């Protein structure tokens, strides 16, 4: 998955996301909890916004396609 082409990111979210080193971004994407599968999975088809100073990624589980989210706390 090309993490550089993210059309559904707000501008502040994109800036925050791009400030994270690429290897860490990939680790964050592949370490998301799915409540339906009950284990860690990879987030796909995600969008990004800033909520309460944190970066919020919302997307789908790579396995069951259920809704998943990842919060990356702000500094």
């Amino acid at each position: 998955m090309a993490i550089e082409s993210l059309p559904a990111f707000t501008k502040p979210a994109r800036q925050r996301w791009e400030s994270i080193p690429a290897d860490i971004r990939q680790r964050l994407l592949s370490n998301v909890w799915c409540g339906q599968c009950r284990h860690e999975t990879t987030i796909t088809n995600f969008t990004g916004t800033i909520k309460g100073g944190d970066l919020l990624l919302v997307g789908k589980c790579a396995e069951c396609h259920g809704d998943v989210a990842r919060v990356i706390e702000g500094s």
Side-chain angles (χ1 to χ4, degrees), residues 27-47:
R27 204 173 336 159
L28 290 167
L29 295 177
S30 63
N31 183 19
V32 176
W33 180 259
C34 177
Q36 219 168 346
C37 294
R38 311 295 279 165
H39 59 78
E40 103 183 17
T41 187
T42 298
I43 188 171
T44 62
N45 301 324
F46 57 92
T47 61

Side-chain angles (χ1 to χ4, degrees), residues 7-23:
F9 268 44
T10 63
K11 187 174 182 179
R14 181 179 302 277
Q15 289 172 337
R16 174 83 57 86
W17 182 247
E18 290 175 350
S19 74
I20 300 170
D23 61 320

